[in-house]
Amino acid sequence: MPALTLTHDGFQLHGKPFRILSGGFHYFRTHPDQWADRLRKARLLGLNTVETYVPWNLHQPTPDGPLDLDGLLDLPRFLELAQAEGLYVLLRPGPYICAEWEGGGLPFWLTADANIRQRSSDPRFTGAVDAYLDLLLPPLAPYMAASGGPVIAVQVENEYGAYGENRAYLAHLADALRKRGVEELLFTCDQADKAMLAAGSLPGVLSTGTFGSRVGEALETLRAHQESGPLMCSEFWIGWFDHWGEPHHVRAADDAAADLDALLSAGASVNIYMFHGGTNFAFTSGANHDHAYAPAVTSYDYDAVLTECGDPGPKYAAFREVIARHTAVPDEPLPKPSPKLPPAEVRLTASANALVCAEFLSPAEHFTDPPAMEALGQGYGFVLYGTELPAIGDHVLHFTGGVGDRAQVFVNGAPAGVIERERHEDSLHIRSPEYGARLDVLVENMGRANYGPRIGDPKGITGPVTLDGEPLENWTCHRLPLDELPALPLRTTDTPVAGPGFHRGTFTVDTPADAYLALPGWTKGVAWVNGFSLGRYWSRGPQRRLYVPWPVLKAGENELTLLELQSATTRVAHLVDAPDLGWTARD
């Protein structure tokens, strides 16, 4: 019998009435050495539960490889820390998680096969899911409530009603969890919409809703769909995510608190999305694609209860006051902001041309036509493609399948232009100075779609390339996943920062503390501190600074590395003590 059970209008935990007061906190978006701090702050808010997704794509990076449960992915350790703090856990293992996460959590090696029907009862898809669950669930068994652990409920799928209508698929997932020993309560979540709830629900499995406002209307829709049992908002949206080039989203604390109070006054359970958002480190941010491709920024601050660095935001006190009206909250001092590094400059004194560095990062591979990134067995980062131009003068370079997602074009090493998927671009005027001139195309995966029918969109050059309508062939490719930074041939220089290049500098820290990396004068690229990838920066905004977690720093000398893709007017970066997530729609 599961620890968490249902009554006609609520939950019971071990036979006693229980209301879920949960907060979303994705372990993989926060440095592991900071998990305990965030969990303590959840308890102090008055929460009794935390919710987390599980990113399949990171935990199983190759189809036949072992499960990765180290570092940011040490889910057992996260569950242990939650239990030590006295918190229960809502586990959302996928296979699909959305979460504004790369590919919605589906592995690139699975979505690369266009013949597989994703999120369906296609046996090729469910077979891959089964193999994943075979790896994931055994190490999590000790943390299920049936074994005395903190996990009291497990999600079957994620907002499936917004994607499809395949009851056999949902039933397969529920059965797969049960067959692998999951005794806990199962639930689905869907937007508070009649059709979506109908398509995404499964008989015998609790249906929950996702919404951020119009609480009374949403709960009425949920009750009309499910005549008895607890009402639960499994994602109470108190903020929103950001795309590059769009405003930063914010929601007033008093407005969100009023809706939280309405939820709790109605007797509903809740999962606040997000309690703590964190950061899309490295290349993990996803994208949306409605009328145009829209990649997500590095920060997942989400205007959450805790800020990106874990400090209590304006919603912390407001929400705690609301929760205290409905249940007891800990009689302990409220958490304070974390220490911050004093502002400092970092001069990047060593550089190397990134096109030249490609030879150090991976060997050249040869193809008649340029392959997509997935065909190279690569999921993230960049691919450098090269060939020779068979003509001289002015020409039209055309990418027949477009690019995924941003291509910088060079002729004999000189910039010729940029092709951006989000601008619906696929052609470029180039000038060849000689027969046999070198054409290089550096393509960046800016994030796979995490929502809708385009989940798992291909990356790199995704079709033949023509010059004035004639195919260009005989390509070389260098894989540049940049999941690790090898030794690079950097040299001390004071020349201007122009063209794709790696740049490195050092700075001294007395005592590690949180900081933000500000890059005024730099254009677009990726930043690492001591080899830890902070993620992407882009002058396009809205986000203007990258969060530097204190655990990636060390007392003494530290190293900052930038891959600047275009140019910079300076060789100086800045460590500052506050974020800058950019302009808002109200600015």
Side-chain angles (χ1 to χ4, degrees):
M1 182 177 178
L4 187 68
T5 56
L6 310 181
T7 68
H8 73 283
D9 63 353
F11 292 105
Q12 286 191 337
L13 183 63
H14 301 300
K16 297 180 179 179
F18 183 73
R19 191 212 301 248
I20 296 173
L21 298 174
S22 176
F25 171 22
H26 303 156
Y27 59 95
F28 46 92
R29 283 178 156 137
T30 299
H31 193 283
D33 291 350
Q34 298 172 310
W35 290 345
D37 171 78
R38 309 308 192 250
L39 291 166
R40 181 181 65 87
K41 290 170 180 173
R43 181 182 60 79
L44 292 178
L45 182 67
L47 302 182
N48 55 30
T49 306
V50 290
E51 165 271 322
T52 186
Y53 284 124
V54 180
W56 180 9
N57 56 353
L58 289 198
H59 281 290
Q60 193 183 8
T62 60
D64 53 358
L67 199 72
D68 188 348
L69 290 174
D70 292 328
L72 283 169
L73 301 177
D74 192 348
L75 179 52
R77 179 187 173 202
F78 175 81
L79 298 176
E80 288 175 3
L81 290 171
Q83 187 169 32
E85 197 61 53
L87 297 168
Y88 298 104
V89 175
L90 305 178
L91 192 68
R92 305 170 79 183
Y96 164 77
I97 65 172
C98 185
E100 293 70 59
W101 186 257
E102 223 278 348
L106 297 179
F108 80 90
W109 48 261
L110 181 63
T111 59
D113 188 341
N115 295 317
I116 295 179
R117 288 178 288 119
Q118 306 295 327
R119 301 177 72 191
S120 81
S121 52
D122 182 336
R124 293 166 295 186
F125 183 77
T126 55
V129 174
D130 289 345
Y132 161 59
L133 294 177
D134 284 340
L135 295 172
L136 177 69
L137 292 178
L140 300 187
Y143 304 98
M144 298 293 168
S147 300
V151 177
I152 57 173
V154 178
Q155 183 173 282
V156 173
E157 236 271 8
N158 189 61
E159 290 191 329
Y160 186 69
Y163 180 83
E165 189 172 1
N166 187 328
R167 187 68 55 80
Y169 165 59
L170 295 178
H172 178 95
L173 294 180
D175 189 53
L177 293 169
R178 292 298 189 216
K179 285 181 177 178
R180 288 162 179 80
V182 175
E183 301 177 26
E184 310 315 322
L185 178 77
L186 300 183
F187 69 98
T188 59
C189 80
D190 285 283
Q191 295 172 46
D193 171 89
K194 180 179 179 181
M196 291 184 184
L197 284 165
S201 296
L202 190 65
V205 172
L206 176 68
S207 296
T208 68
T210 62
F211 50 89
S213 59
R214 295 183 291 184
V215 170
E217 178 183 335
L219 293 179
E220 286 179 8
T221 301
L222 189 58
R223 178 54 77 211
H225 168 75
Q226 190 169 246
E227 294 183 357
S228 66
L231 292 171
M232 178 164 178
C233 179
S234 51
E235 287 187 16
F236 172 50
W237 303 321
I238 65 166
W240 207 244
F241 52 88
D242 296 336
H243 295 130
W244 291 112
E246 298 179 5
H248 170 53
H249 292 83
V250 297
R251 182 179 181 185
D254 57 351
D255 177 67
D259 278 336
L260 176 62
D261 192 42
L263 259 174
L264 298 183
S265 296
S269 286
V270 66
N271 175 55
I272 297 165
Y273 196 98
M274 296 291 296
F275 166 70
H276 176 50
T279 307
N280 297 314
F281 294 119
F283 302 116
T284 57
S285 54
N288 284 282
H289 199 303
D290 188 2
H291 67 283
Y293 174 77
V297 303
T298 298
S299 173
Y300 201 66
D301 175 270
Y302 210 89
D303 199 28
V305 179
L306 297 184
T307 66
E308 186 176 7
C309 73
D311 288 347
K315 294 184 176 77
Y316 195 95
F319 281 22
R320 194 171 190 270
E321 180 180 342
V322 168
I323 293 170
R325 295 175 200 157
H326 299 273
T327 189
V329 299
D331 184 18
E332 299 178 45
L334 294 182
K336 296 181 179 180
S338 66
K340 306 296 188 297
L341 282 185
E345 287 189 352
V346 183
R347 182 165 295 277
L348 291 98
T349 57
S351 299
N353 183 292
L355 303 185
V356 174
C357 286
E359 298 286 346
F360 293 84
L361 294 170
S362 72
E365 300 175 70
H366 301 275
F367 302 89
T368 300
D369 297 306
M373 181 180 285
E374 293 81 357
L376 293 167
Q378 180 182 329
Y380 318 105
F382 303 78
V383 176
L384 178 63
Y385 300 86
T387 189
E388 292 185 352
L389 295 171
I392 193 170
D394 294 311
H395 304 279
V396 174
L397 184 69
H398 178 56
F399 297 85
T400 61
V403 297
D405 301 295
R406 186 175 187 272
Q408 293 176 248
V409 180
F410 305 86
V411 176
N412 281 353
V418 177
I419 296 284
E420 291 188 337
R421 174 185 175 190
E422 62 185 287
R423 299 181 184 274
H424 305 284
E425 297 171 340
D426 60 13
S427 299
L428 185 69
H429 163 231
I430 64 171
R431 179 168 294 170
S432 175
E434 60 187 354
Y435 292 102
R438 178 71 180 178
L439 174 72
D440 286 303
V441 183
L442 181 63
V443 184
E444 178 183 5
N445 168 6
M446 288 287 295
R448 291 179 180 83
N450 53 253
Y451 185 84
R454 298 177 186 265
I455 292 171
D457 46 327
K459 300 303 176 183
I461 294 179
T462 56
V465 181
T466 64
L467 191 71
D468 299 334
E470 295 297 320
L472 284 175
E473 298 181 337
N474 301 319
W475 291 82
T476 60
C477 296
H478 289 276
R479 306 183 219 187
L480 309 175
L482 299 182
D483 45 4
E484 294 182 359
L485 276 181
L488 295 170
L490 278 73
R491 295 184 178 180
T492 302
T493 179
D494 58 2
T495 59
V497 175
F502 289 94
H503 310 278
R504 186 167 292 166
T506 60
F507 58 98
T508 300
V509 168
D510 292 331
T511 302
D514 284 336
Y516 292 86
L517 178 66
L519 295 164
W522 299 79
T523 304
K524 186 182 193 305
V526 187
W528 293 262
V529 168
N530 295 330
F532 181 90
S533 180
L534 304 179
R536 300 180 179 94
Y537 64 88
W538 200 354
S539 60
R540 181 171 292 182
Q543 181 181 359
R544 299 190 181 102
R545 297 173 182 175
L546 295 179
Y547 173 51
V548 184
W550 69 261
V552 309
L553 298 170
K554 56 187 178 182
E557 186 175 87
N558 294 260
E559 186 176 79
L560 171 66
T561 303
L562 300 181
L563 168 58
E564 169 59 51
L565 295 169
Q566 292 187 198
S567 61
T569 58
T570 180
R571 280 191 164 272
V572 175
H574 302 266
L575 291 170
V576 297
D577 58 5
D580 185 349
L581 295 173
W583 70 95
T584 71
R586 298 188 305 228
D587 286 352

